[in-house]
Amino acid sequence: MMSFFSSKKVQLTDHNCVLPHALKIPALEKLVGKRVVLASNSPRRKEILKTFGLEPEIVPSTFEETLPFSAFSDPHEYPVATASQKAVEVYERLVTEQPDDAPDLVIAADTVVLTHPPEGLSSMRFADEPLGPQDILEKPTDKDDNMRMLLDLNGGICEVVTGVSVVFPVLEAPGYKIKSIEERTKVYFADNEESLLRAYVDSGEGIDRAGGFAVQGLGGMLISKVDGDYQNVVGFPAASFFKFLDTLVEEEIDFLSD
């Protein structure tokens, strides 16, 4: 008689996302041997995490980033909501596809550029410029759109906001929990000559970047000052993220539990 059960053990993949140079902090020590997934194909986020000793598995999210910006009374909630949707999509997909090797942690992030930082973000602001509603600056559609964005930003200030969400398994329904943070950084643009802006646009670097510039690349020539976490402007607020994980280790019983 044939058995429906096999005596052969399921061989699970060995996971080793924590690199040797990682600092010995509670969160990273907890991640040793865990399956950690980054729901993004961004080389910048991957490199930032690797710099600090974390090399997660890359599984890009298929979530279509179509949340209506106008639906959020607070614009800072927009990237957090998008990051949460990305993380949940990847977590649910992997649990369905690989139930014997479900992820212990899925990380997702979304970075947006907003105009006119709100009063109170910093003690420094343009005293003679009234603060209006914040608008989101998406990736430019073409070079003309990139030039329009840079002309609007030139000599002014914008706010870079990254929402970071993590999803991890818990016993109660729906079987996972979502926790999120946000990081805000102000970027001051120098009063650049239009010829410099045009040269930057022609380089093509800003086409695939929210706000139309990359502070860590050639776009750094356009910037006079960054007020806040520089890594956040690049695409991932590493310092806040690892503090966030340490807090989850202390406060969430189910977080990374064996």
Side-chain angles (χ1 to χ4, degrees), residues 1-257:
M1 182 177 175
M2 236 177 153
S3 172
F4 288 103
F5 301 96
S6 172
S7 60
K8 186 177 180 181
K9 291 184 179 180
V10 177
Q11 185 66 40
L12 299 181
T13 305
D14 290 330
H15 300 292
N16 187 21
C17 62
V18 180
L19 301 175
H21 69 271
L23 296 178
K24 296 186 182 304
I25 61 175
L28 284 173
E29 291 184 330
K30 269 276 197 178
L31 289 176
V32 173
K34 304 290 187 182
R35 186 182 185 190
V36 180
V37 175
L38 177 63
S40 171
N41 204 27
S42 166
R44 294 171 292 280
R45 289 179 183 138
K46 177 182 177 181
E47 191 58 35
I48 289 171
L49 287 171
K50 188 175 181 180
T51 296
F52 293 99
L54 185 63
E55 190 169 27
E57 178 183 344
I58 304 298
V59 181
S61 173
T62 60
F63 172 71
E64 294 185 9
E65 299 177 34
T66 55
L67 296 177
F69 182 66
S70 59
F72 296 88
S73 57
D74 181 353
H76 303 91
E77 295 175 358
Y78 175 82
V80 174
T82 300
S84 296
Q85 294 285 354
K86 289 180 180 179
V88 169
E89 186 279 320
V90 168
Y91 182 82
E92 290 182 335
R93 173 157 43 103
L94 293 178
V95 167
T96 300
E97 294 176 352
Q98 304 165 21
D100 292 325
D101 192 23
D104 297 291
L105 184 69
V106 174
I107 306 163
D110 186 58
T111 301
V112 299
V113 177
L114 301 174
T115 59
H116 303 295
E119 191 171 6
L121 180 65
S122 172
S123 59
M124 298 186 66
R125 53 164 293 194
F126 292 115
D128 58 348
E129 182 178 340
L131 292 171
Q134 289 186 277
D135 295 320
I136 189 170
L137 297 178
E138 305 278 8
K139 296 177 182 179
T141 56
D142 53 31
K143 287 188 175 182
D144 287 341
D145 193 34
N146 197 172
M147 189 65 179
R148 176 192 63 78
M149 287 184 180
L150 294 181
L151 285 171
D152 287 345
L153 292 170
N154 199 37
I157 182 173
C158 67
E159 183 183 19
V160 178
V161 185
T162 300
V164 180
S165 294
V166 297
V167 172
F168 54 92
V170 295
L171 294 177
E172 61 267 21
Y176 59 81
K177 188 175 286 188
I178 308 167
K179 292 291 182 178
S180 305
I181 58 168
E182 66 169 66
E183 184 76 21
R184 311 179 190 184
T185 305
K186 290 200 297 185
V187 177
Y188 292 77
F189 275 73
D191 191 8
N192 301 292
E193 295 292 334
E194 190 168 329
S195 59
L196 176 58
L197 299 180
R198 175 58 63 188
Y200 180 70
V201 168
D202 288 340
S203 77
E205 182 184 77
I207 287 293
D208 191 40
R209 313 298 171 97
F213 68 96
V215 69
Q216 76 278 19
L218 297 171
M221 294 182 66
L222 311 179
I223 307 303
S224 63
K225 184 175 71 170
V226 173
D227 183 4
D229 185 350
Y230 172 83
Q231 300 285 3
N232 183 48
V233 184
V234 177
F236 196 85
S240 295
F241 172 70
F242 287 112
K243 290 177 183 176
F244 170 53
L245 290 188
D246 275 346
T247 299
L248 291 178
V249 169
E250 292 178 4
E251 298 181 356
E252 294 289 329
I253 297 175
D254 293 323
F255 184 65
L256 300 177
S257 60

